[in-house]
Amino acid sequence: MIRSYSQLILLLLLMMPGYDSQAAQPYLQENRVLYIEKALKAFQETKLQNIINTYKYINVVERNNCRSSLSDLKVECLLSFARNNCSTYGKQRSRENCELYSDIIIVNKLSESAFIKRSERYRVTRNSKEDFRTALTNRLQQKYGKLVTDFYLTDGSECDNEDLRCLAAGLDQFCLDYTNAKSLSWQYCTSASLWFIGTSKQN
């Protein structure tokens, strides 16, 4: 049964056993583009420190409260804690934005092994003077940066600075094409790209 999930989380869950792909229409292009546009706005409207604080909170929750080896149960657990965290914001818009970038953080948590294989993870942590999580985060950011650089080399990124719908449509198409060319899902490509674009700002 499909509950009231965001576009990104719904698409992630539909990759897993036990979810009915006929219960919703998450694959429609207009829905995907609208979700990406909303996520871009959420990053734009939120102080970077608030986003980083949420990222740290979800990291702690993952380690201490949501350690299930089953991906769907882990997602449900992380979503529950994330929604509770977002509910502490007084303004509805802030709560909605928090839910959007929290979803992106959660999907990125699930996609870490797709970006950094076990052998590379071992090399990164062995050769780094930083702690494991910091070294891994820095390496992931490098991977996300390369992905976004590839996107900005496409025609789909040629948008006016304030035209988020254009940027969203371009990113959606880029990740569809990337999915066809590489072994990376649309969900993982989109989430990683949104995180890098959203957290690269200065505020």
Side-chain angles (χ1 to χ4, degrees), residues 26-62:
Y27 293 106
L28 293 176
Q29 181 187 25
E30 61 187 89
N31 292 342
R32 297 193 313 266
V33 172
L34 179 60
Y35 177 85
I36 295 172
E37 182 183 12
K38 287 181 177 179
L40 288 168
K41 287 181 180 178
F43 278 108
Q44 193 175 75
E45 295 173 357
T46 306
K47 291 182 178 180
L48 183 57
Q49 189 57 54
N50 288 349
I51 297 170
I52 298 302
N53 288 343
T54 301
Y55 170 79
K56 291 178 179 178
Y57 170 78
I58 291 176
N59 272 337
V60 171
V61 166
E62 183 199 27

Side-chain angles (χ1 to χ4, degrees), residues 6 34-48 50-52 54-55 58 82-83 85-87 89-105 164 194-195 201 203:
S6 75
L34 179 60
Y35 177 85
I36 295 172
E37 182 183 12
K38 287 181 177 179
L40 288 168
K41 287 181 180 178
F43 278 108
Q44 193 175 75
E45 295 173 357
T46 306
K47 291 182 178 180
L48 183 57
N50 288 349
I51 297 170
I52 298 302
T54 301
Y55 170 79
I58 291 176
R83 293 297 181 264
N85 178 59
C86 293
S87 69
Y89 285 95
K91 296 181 179 179
Q92 180 178 350
R93 183 73 170 190
S94 296
R95 292 194 298 272
E96 292 173 351
N97 286 343
C98 176
E99 291 179 0
L100 282 163
Y101 56 75
S102 293
D103 287 350
I104 290 165
I105 293 169
L164 296 184
L194 284 170
W195 177 258
K201 64 182 181 177
N203 68 340

Side-chain angles (χ1 to χ4, degrees), residues 62-81:
E62 183 199 27
R63 289 196 303 269
N64 298 332
N65 305 91
C66 302
R67 298 176 61 87
S68 175
S69 59
L70 299 176
S71 296
D72 54 343
L73 293 181
K74 186 171 186 176
V75 170
E76 295 277 8
C77 178
L78 289 171
L79 277 175
S80 177
F81 277 94

Side-chain angles (χ1 to χ4, degrees), residues 69-155:
S69 59
L70 299 176
S71 296
D72 54 343
L73 293 181
K74 186 171 186 176
V75 170
E76 295 277 8
C77 178
L78 289 171
L79 277 175
S80 177
F81 277 94
R83 293 297 181 264
N84 287 338
N85 178 59
C86 293
S87 69
T88 62
Y89 285 95
K91 296 181 179 179
Q92 180 178 350
R93 183 73 170 190
S94 296
R95 292 194 298 272
E96 292 173 351
N97 286 343
C98 176
E99 291 179 0
L100 282 163
Y101 56 75
S102 293
D103 287 350
I104 290 165
I105 293 169
I106 291 170
V107 173
N108 284 341
K109 297 298 297 180
L110 272 291
S111 72
E112 286 182 359
S113 61
F115 282 94
I116 302 181
K117 305 302 182 184
R118 181 175 297 181
S119 58
E120 183 180 2
R121 179 184 294 242
Y122 173 74
R123 290 196 305 272
V124 168
T125 54
R126 182 189 62 184
N127 297 330
S128 176
K129 296 180 180 179
E130 302 167 310
D131 64 86
F132 168 77
R133 174 46 59 180
T134 300
L136 186 63
T137 298
N138 290 340
R139 184 59 176 153
L140 283 168
Q141 197 72 353
Q142 292 173 4
K143 298 272 188 174
Y144 299 165
K146 183 181 183 303
L147 187 65
V148 172
T149 298
D150 289 344
F151 164 59
Y152 279 125
L153 292 175
T154 67
D155 293 339

Side-chain angles (χ1 to χ4, degrees), residues 129-195:
K129 296 180 180 179
E130 302 167 310
D131 64 86
F132 168 77
R133 174 46 59 180
T134 300
L136 186 63
T137 298
N138 290 340
R139 184 59 176 153
L140 283 168
Q141 197 72 353
Q142 292 173 4
K143 298 272 188 174
Y144 299 165
K146 183 181 183 303
L147 187 65
V148 172
T149 298
D150 289 344
F151 164 59
Y152 279 125
L153 292 175
T154 67
D155 293 339
S157 67
E158 296 179 358
C159 305
D160 293 337
N161 290 336
E162 301 302 319
D163 192 350
L164 296 184
R165 174 56 65 95
C166 172
L167 188 63
L171 183 56
D172 173 62
Q173 187 59 53
F174 168 77
C175 283
L176 285 177
D177 294 339
Y178 198 90
T179 296
N180 292 331
K182 309 284 185 178
S183 57
L184 188 70
S185 71
W186 178 92
Q187 296 90 319
Y188 290 169
C189 172
T190 301
S191 185
S193 300
L194 284 170
W195 177 258

